[in-house]
């Protein structure tokens, strides 16, 4: 009987890990899609010159 309980608990932990990984994958895909589709303002993406460095 204890072997059945151990297998049941182990399978629950494995299922929880799979659900967590699937959730993280969906979150990453949605985050990536949001970053790719949002409009970008090119004026803000340019780096400002470093202070104290002269050419």
């Amino acid at each position: 009987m204890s072997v059945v309980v151990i297998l049941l608990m182990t399978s629950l932990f494995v299922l929880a890990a799979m659900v967590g990984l699937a959730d993280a994958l969906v979150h990453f895909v949605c985050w990536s899609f949001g970053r790719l589709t949002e409009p970008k303002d090119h004026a803000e993406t340019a780096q400002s010159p470093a202070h104290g460095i002269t050419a």
Side-chain angles (χ1 to χ4, degrees):
M1 184 66 181
S2 63
V3 173
V4 174
V5 172
I6 290 172
L7 288 176
L8 182 64
M9 292 294 290
T10 304
S11 64
L12 286 176
F13 278 110
V14 168
L15 182 64
M18 290 171 63
V19 168
L21 286 174
D23 179 54
L25 179 65
V26 168
H27 175 75
F28 178 72
V29 167
C30 291
W31 175 79
S32 297
F33 183 73
R35 284 197 45 131
L36 288 174
T37 57
E38 73 181 14
K40 294 181 179 164
D41 187 10
H42 293 290
E44 292 183 13
T45 57
Q47 285 185 330
S48 60
H51 296 290
I53 298 176
T54 57

